[in-house]
Structures are given as structure tokens and as C-alpha cells.
Amino acid sequence: MKIPKTIKIGWRNYEVKFIDEEIRDKNGDLLDGQIDFNNHIIYIDNNIIYEDERVVTFLHEVVHGIFHNYCNSKWNDDEDLVECVAEGLFQLIRDNPKLFK
């Protein structure tokens, strides 16, 4: 799966940036990716070696964007739920390559 340079989530267009700098959350924990809702940017750690991990990270941030747009902050802040949905979407796409063609 090729990660696009931009993606539309709801009415917002997000730029996707691969960065070499460390990405950290508000607690200082190291992250593979992060979504900036204010500036409409998805950051992905450029040092992730495996392409599948990059895609799952991208999908993880997209799920945050979907929850931010359509649901509530409780879901958006639930990292286990976000990761479960991202991993599930990745496997669905991988197991059914003709689904989106």
C-alpha cells in the first residue's frame, strides 16, 4: 500500500510528512506517528524500517482523524481502540487487495 502525500478526512485535507526527528507525545513518550489537528498534518517517523509498520502507523493516525471528525474525544484518546481499528483495516486491505480496485 502506498501512503499518499495528502489525504482528505472529512472536510479536512491533511498533508502527510515523513520526518527524521523524534515524535513525542505530551508525556514525552516516543511515537511512530502523530496527527496535528490544528495544522492538518500527519507526521510519520521516517526511521520506521518496515513498510507494513509505516502503513499501520499511517492508518492509526487516519483513525484518530476520523474519530476527531465524527465521534468524540473519548474514542480519539483511546489508543487501544485506535490501534485495534488501524490493525484491522490494514489486515482487511492486505487480505482483500481487489476490494478498492
Side-chain angles (χ1 to χ4, degrees):
M1 177 181 182
K2 184 172 172 28
I3 298 173
K5 293 181 180 183
T6 62
I7 187 163
K8 187 173 182 180
I9 304 172
W11 59 269
R12 295 169 178 93
N13 291 307
Y14 284 85
E15 181 180 1
V16 179
K17 290 186 177 183
F18 289 91
I19 60 172
D20 292 319
E21 299 86 26
E22 290 183 345
I23 305 168
R24 296 195 178 266
D25 66 10
K26 59 186 172 191
N27 298 322
D29 295 326
L30 194 59
L31 304 173
D32 289 336
Q34 190 170 53
I35 188 166
D36 179 342
F37 299 118
N38 295 323
N39 296 306
H40 303 163
I41 301 171
I42 294 174
Y43 297 101
I44 299 175
D45 185 344
N46 199 37
N47 298 304
I48 298 172
I49 297 170
Y50 299 105
E51 188 64 26
D52 288 352
E53 289 293 330
R54 285 177 179 233
V55 172
V56 169
T57 299
F58 169 72
L59 290 172
H60 179 104
E61 300 311 323
V62 167
V63 170
H64 275 300
I66 292 169
F67 285 172
H68 177 76
N69 279 354
Y70 298 109
C71 299
N72 60 51
S73 61
K74 183 172 68 174
W75 287 4
N76 193 30
D77 293 338
D78 187 337
E79 287 296 325
D80 290 336
L81 176 61
V82 171
E83 187 63 16
C84 178
V85 173
E87 292 277 350
L89 284 172
F90 174 76
Q91 198 62 51
L92 176 75
I93 294 165
R94 188 172 190 147
D95 290 346
N96 300 279
K98 295 179 183 178
L99 185 64
F100 297 104
K101 291 190 180 196

